[in-house]
Amino acid sequence: MSTAKTSWPEVVGWPAAQAVTQVNTDRPDVAIEVLPSGTSVSPGFSSKRVRVFFDGTGSVEATPTVG
């Protein structure tokens, strides 16, 4: 059973670049997409992707999760 981390609620409010560093430290095996909040993204789940959505100030707006 995998114990790999799948969400990062602790980075909400952090600068996006700092959040990316944390996600990459915890899960170097996933691709990280950094996107402005409200960006349209293609549907579908990917166990090798984490999306980080940031607000107008560059802070993480929602919990990044694998998918």
Side-chain angles (χ1 to χ4, degrees):
M1 180 174 215
S2 175
T3 58
K5 192 163 182 169
T6 59
S7 68
W8 290 263
E10 70 276 14
V11 305
V12 173
W14 289 16
Q18 187 178 350
V20 167
T21 299
Q22 183 62 53
V23 173
N24 193 46
T25 297
D26 293 338
R27 290 290 305 272
D29 60 313
V30 299
I32 304 167
E33 297 178 8
V34 182
L35 305 160
S37 290
T39 300
S40 294
V41 294
S42 56
F45 179 86
S46 171
S47 62
K48 294 297 181 185
R49 175 183 61 215
V50 173
R51 290 178 172 148
V52 176
F53 291 96
F54 63 91
D55 64 18
T57 67
S59 297
V60 177
E61 189 169 84
T63 299
T65 59
V66 170

